Amino acid sequence: MVPSEEGILTNLRRGAVEYCVLASLRGGASYGRDIAQQLSADGVLMNGEGTLYPLLARLRKSGLVETHWQESTSGPPRRYYALTGEGERALEVFIRAWSPFRSAVDSSLGEGEQ
Amino acid sequence: MSEAAQRLARYQDDLARLLAALEPAERAEVLDGVREHIEGALAEVPGEASEADVNRILADLGSPGQVAEAALADRPAAQHLVTAAGGSGRWREQLMGRWVPPTVTIGLLVIGLLSFTPFVWIPLVVVLAVLVASHLWSVPEKALGVAIVPTGLALMSLYWITGKDRLLFGLGLGLVAIVLLVVLAIRGSRRAAQHAHTQRSAPASGGVS
């Protein structure tokens, strides 16, 4: 059976998207809907803004992000997520590993084409 | 409750049910996040949220099945138990198939019509057991479903014993029973379809690891 594009994306997202969430917090704390809108804008990284919340729960459980409440001008108080020290280090490790991984995939796909 | 608020509440109920296999604290956190997301999105809508606003909010969130799939990813052991609470095994998973809602509701209808003969009481118990064990229905829905046939039988017996003409009364109740069964069939089928969706995408991810 040929896997569907959506099936392949599901596999690729696993293990990568949570670091994109961490990366989106590098500029400072943010709240769920803001992160979700950033990451799901093109539909590649996430298939639905709601899929962010399981990721955030998992990241908080592993101590990579922490939460605090902040008032909002447009509605109820918001739960803000911020990187912990450990989260920052985890992100650095991922960035180091990702670059060679991406090049290796790119080059092997490129070779296959010729 | 307005139609829009009901749909938002139903979305969250469905998600809560699909996340039954998660540990309670994590499940609560996911559900809180989604609830706050919805509340925040509603707060940005000027005035009362229209149907189009609710559609957009729910479309942006993705289906409950997609969210549940993300929540249960990396849990190979839990994947086939998306909704089977706490890991009670594959047989409960079987009871979430698309065949379950029509079988249970049509079964109850046929058995209910024949329930004056004791021969159908054993199949009745089997169908009720499936209804109770399946995760496709909420507890109040299960209670209603279980009550239908015994209530009808009790009223029928009352009619025979007292000999009083309660035919019209009985017809009305019969209609209520059929409406209840139709509602159970629709709700159960919708959840079974969602569950099937979750399952279809899960093996694709589990198969490689």
Side-chain angles (χ1 to χ4, degrees):
Chain A
M1 193 185 78
V2 180
S4 67
E5 201 172 318
E6 187 55 36
I8 289 178
L9 273 179
T10 304
N11 278 332
L12 291 176
R13 285 179 191 130
R14 186 150 306 148
V17 176
E18 53 193 271
Y19 292 96
C20 300
V21 174
L22 294 180
S24 76
L25 297 175
R26 256 187 312 190
S30 184
Y31 60 98
R33 228 149 45 84
D34 194 34
I35 308 172
Q37 279 161 2
Q38 262 181 57
L39 294 181
S40 65
D42 53 9
V44 174
L45 291 177
M46 278 190 203
N47 56 347
E49 295 179 352
T51 58
L52 172 71
Y53 298 100
L55 281 181
L56 285 174
R58 214 173 297 156
L59 289 171
R60 205 188 56 80
K61 198 173 151 200
S62 13
L64 302 184
V65 301
E66 58 196 3
T67 57
H68 61 269
W69 289 93
Q70 209 164 300
E71 289 299 323
S72 146
T73 49
S74 70
R78 289 166 175 156
R79 193 194 309 247
Y80 270 72
Y81 296 81
L83 277 181
T84 61
E86 211 175 326
E88 267 170 46
R89 285 195 296 280
L91 180 58
E92 279 162 25
V93 173
F94 180 81
I95 292 171
R96 270 206 305 279
W98 176 253
S99 209
F101 179 81
R102 189 189 49 198
S103 324
V105 172
D106 283 348
S107 76
S108 74
L109 293 181
E111 273 167 28
E113 254 173 19
Q114 285 151 20
Chain B
M1 213 195 292
S2 73
E3 166 81 5
Q6 268 176 17
R7 281 187 55 212
L8 291 169
R10 210 182 307 139
Y11 179 95
Q12 294 176 72
D13 285 347
D14 288 344
L15 179 59
R17 206 165 294 114
L18 288 170
L19 293 179
L22 276 195
E23 68 169 82
E26 197 175 345
R27 176 169 180 256
E29 200 171 330
V30 174
L31 292 171
D32 283 347
V34 170
R35 184 171 42 77
E36 285 156 25
H37 183 111
I38 292 175
E39 283 167 3
L42 286 177
E44 282 176 14
V45 174
E48 183 94 352
S50 69
E51 199 185 327
D53 292 322
V54 171
N55 286 342
R56 179 180 46 80
I57 294 172
L58 291 182
D60 285 348
L61 274 171
S63 72
Q66 284 169 326
V67 180
E69 191 191 320
L72 297 163
D74 298 329
R75 275 183 189 71
Q79 243 166 29
H80 54 271
L81 303 171
V82 177
T83 47
S88 42
R90 277 174 183 276
W91 64 272
R92 277 215 142 147
E93 169 60 29
Q94 295 296 318
L95 294 183
M96 300 211 50
R98 284 167 189 261
W99 60 273
V100 173
T103 310
V104 166
T105 49
I106 295 171
L108 277 180
L109 180 66
V110 173
I111 292 171
L113 292 174
L114 300 172
S115 60
F116 52 85
T117 141
F119 295 114
V120 299
W121 291 357
I122 290 177
L124 172 64
V125 170
V126 173
V127 172
L128 290 182
V130 172
L131 172 69
V132 171
S134 171
H135 285 288
L136 292 176
W137 290 282
S138 67
V139 173
E141 287 165 4
K142 287 177 184 179
L144 276 175
V146 169
I148 292 174
V149 173
T151 310
L153 190 58
L155 288 172
M156 245 195 299
S157 319
L158 199 68
Y159 168 62
W160 279 328
I161 295 166
T162 61
K164 286 188 186 148
D165 184 7
R166 290 199 168 82
L167 200 58
L168 269 180
F169 184 55
L171 269 180
L173 281 175
L175 276 179
V176 172
I178 289 175
V179 169
L180 278 177
L181 286 175
V182 170
V183 170
L184 288 181
I186 293 172
R187 299 202 144 191
S189 302
R190 191 161 44 82
R191 289 177 196 134
Q194 255 164 21
H195 181 71
H197 174 85
T198 318
Q199 293 310 95
R200 214 179 311 126
S201 11
S205 45
V208 188
S209 51

